[in-house]
Amino acid sequence: MAIERTLSIIKPDAVAKNVIGQIYSRFEGAGLKIVAARMTQLSRAEAEGFYAVHAARPFFKDLVDFMVSGPVMITVLEGENAIAAHRDLMGATDPKKAEKGTIRADFADSIDANAVHGSDAAETAATEIAYYFPALNVYSR
Ligand code: RTP
Ligand code: MG
């Protein structure tokens, strides 16, 4: 089992619902540690850059509008197989299709307002962590 790091974002809808702690409890309960954290409201440029891979998709404007609509919590999670473990906890992109007991099934309202983001592979995790945490403020323990 590999120790990995992944980028996690609690999106504006979940921050507005005041369920940050409930979501982080699930990460901690699954053995994932928070090793870096920031609360911020993304600029359009930051959100567009972060989701650049989706720039040509029809939902891109809605995605960016949503991601800048309020503050987000950005963390780096560390643990065994952290990337897949985090995605499993999140559930499917569309909450209607998300398995019972996943974060999106429990806290998300729609495919746009879907509560959380998680890196989907080792390469994207490395890029996304560097995007939001360019400095050395990551605390392994
Ligand atoms: P995320 O990147 O936010 O963790 O979500 P994901 O991997 O589960 O989904 P992804 O395909 O990367 O899409 C990024 C976000 O774009 C919105 N989306 N809308 N209307 C649609 O068909 C559609 N597809 C994707 C979602 O809000 C998704 O989280
Ligand atoms: Mg994605």
Side-chain angles (χ1 to χ4, degrees):
M1 291 274 229
I3 299 293
E4 294 176 335
R5 286 179 182 165
T6 191
L7 189 90
S8 166
I9 303 179
I10 300 187
K11 295 184 178 182
D13 58 326
V15 172
K17 284 183 183 173
N18 205 24
V19 293
I20 293 169
Q22 290 186 59
I23 292 173
Y24 285 155
S25 288
R26 293 183 184 206
F27 297 155
E28 291 179 347
L32 298 172
K33 294 177 181 177
I34 295 171
V35 295
R38 279 176 70 187
M39 187 175 207
T40 186
Q41 184 150 359
L42 300 177
S43 66
R44 281 201 86 77
E46 273 180 310
E48 286 170 357
F50 184 71
Y51 279 120
V53 66
H54 296 309
R57 310 288 292 277
F59 57 80
F60 185 65
K61 184 176 178 296
D62 286 346
L63 174 60
V64 172
D65 285 347
F66 170 65
M67 290 301 290
V68 304
S69 66
V72 295
M73 286 293 306
I74 309 175
T75 53
V76 177
L77 302 175
E78 185 178 83
E80 280 184 8
N81 294 324
I83 297 164
H86 180 221
R87 296 281 300 189
D88 287 348
L89 292 170
M90 288 165 53
T93 308
D94 182 351
K96 291 200 287 287
K97 297 180 183 155
E99 232 172 278
K100 209 167 162 238
T102 60
I103 292 166
R104 282 170 166 164
D106 290 346
F107 299 118
D109 293 326
S110 68
I111 194 167
D112 295 310
N114 64 1
V116 280
H117 163 85
S119 307
D120 59 12
E123 301 71 35
T124 46
T127 310
E128 291 178 0
I129 290 168
Y131 191 82
Y132 287 119
F133 297 94
L136 293 173
N137 51 356
V138 171
Y139 301 96
S140 284
R141 62 194 193 281

